[in-house]
Amino acid sequence: MKKSQVIKFAKKLNSTNLSALRSGNISIIAKERGVKGFYITPSGKKYSSLKTKDIVFVSLKGKFNKKKGKPSSEWRFHQDIYVNKKDAKAIVHAHSTCATAVSTHQKSIPAFHYMVAVAGGEDIKCAKYSTFGTRSLSKNILSALKNRSACLISNHGQIAFGENLEKAFELAQEIENICHQYINALRIGIPKMLSKKEMKIVLGKMKNYKRG
Ligand SMILES: [Zn+2]
């Protein structure tokens, strides 16, 4: 069941140190009474004590039943990603330590390691800063996600989507690892970058690998 999957991965956010306590949020595309939308973690509840009834349904038009609980205050960017990215079926947003640290520099992660291609391009973009929960932040995230399935969010954290929650979660963990490696690489100077040509080869190989 989709609601229990949201709970399972919300708890995993805590146990894998992607996000502590209430920070970060998880959603999965869903349908309720013929209405297209998504199930999302609620606002202000500890993930360790989440019950199925706490998971909130938000329609793709941004409607939800307030009596049934409040969705995460960051539901707008989930809505906008589902509306604009046809291959997004599940989303993981985290304030994970290393991704958040790198995001405070408001810069893309360059090709210091070939694995940056895991997000879909030759770098991992960082969405411009805007207040959490606003439509303007949603817009910034969508531009950073152009041809990408993950990005950093300035002074905030990271976001990853996929065809299911397992894949979105794994991608978020990968982004966190890359940020950890990037921080370490910077400690001993400026890393040598891979060329655009090499990154094209890597991207081609990754596409084939995914297909296979
Ligand atoms: Zn957040």
Side-chain angles (χ1 to χ4, degrees):
M1 187 175 155
K2 288 192 168 180
K3 281 189 181 177
S4 45
Q5 273 191 54
V6 171
I7 294 177
K8 179 181 148 192
F9 282 94
K11 286 184 176 164
K12 243 180 130 178
L13 266 183
N14 291 168
S15 64
T16 53
N17 82 9
L18 265 186
S19 275
L21 300 170
R22 297 172 182 83
S23 72
N25 34 71
I26 300 263
S27 73
I28 188 167
I29 205 129
K31 228 180 197 183
E32 242 185 28
R33 287 179 211 96
V35 179
K36 279 188 191 167
F38 54 95
Y39 287 128
I40 186 166
T41 40
S43 168
K45 285 203 173 146
K46 262 194 191 173
Y47 292 161
S48 54
S49 53
L50 278 186
K51 304 260 180 317
T52 335
K53 65 171 174 49
D54 299 324
I55 304 304
V56 184
F57 179 79
V58 180
S59 80
L60 286 188
K61 290 189 173 147
K63 299 256 185 297
F64 52 88
N65 184 347
K66 284 186 191 127
K67 283 181 205 151
K68 286 194 174 173
K70 264 169 75 183
S72 156
S73 57
E74 300 187 289
W75 62 269
R76 280 187 186 85
F77 62 67
H78 289 257
Q79 177 201 5
D80 286 325
I81 291 171
Y82 288 128
V83 169
N84 291 285
K85 296 274 192 185
K86 294 298 160 220
D87 45 348
K89 307 285 181 210
I91 298 170
V92 172
H93 163 57
H95 298 179
S96 51
T97 312
C98 298
T100 303
V102 176
S103 83
T104 63
H105 290 258
Q106 306 189 342
K107 283 193 299 202
S108 303
I109 304 173
F112 79 104
H113 190 294
Y114 77 88
M115 278 300 281
V116 298
V118 78
E122 61 181 46
D123 58 6
I124 299 169
K125 304 281 186 207
C126 186
K128 280 190 191 151
Y129 183 81
S130 212
T131 313
F132 77 96
T134 59
R135 194 63 80 194
S136 131
L137 179 60
S138 256
K139 270 191 195 160
N140 298 347
I141 290 173
L142 279 175
S143 5
L145 284 177
K146 196 173 175 220
N147 302 319
R148 304 281 190 279
S149 48
C151 71
L152 299 180
I153 310 168
S154 285
N155 308 81
H156 186 152
Q158 60 140 317
I159 187 155
F161 69 80
E163 63 192 59
N164 55 44
L165 265 177
E166 274 91 1
K167 294 217 168 136
F169 199 90
E170 207 181 292
L171 182 56
Q173 285 187 300
E174 197 58 71
I175 301 297
E176 178 64 6
N177 281 339
I178 291 168
C179 289
H180 190 205
Q181 288 158 354
Y182 188 44
I183 292 168
N184 276 306
L186 289 170
R187 281 184 183 172
I188 48 170
I190 306 290
K192 295 270 187 285
M193 298 300 161
L194 297 172
S195 66
K196 274 185 187 274
K197 195 178 148 203
E198 176 56 21
M199 286 308 288
K200 257 192 187 156
I201 299 172
V202 170
L203 284 160
K205 277 190 97 156
M206 278 199 176
K207 258 183 204 156
N208 291 332
Y209 179 70
K210 271 184 194 163
R211 273 192 211 117

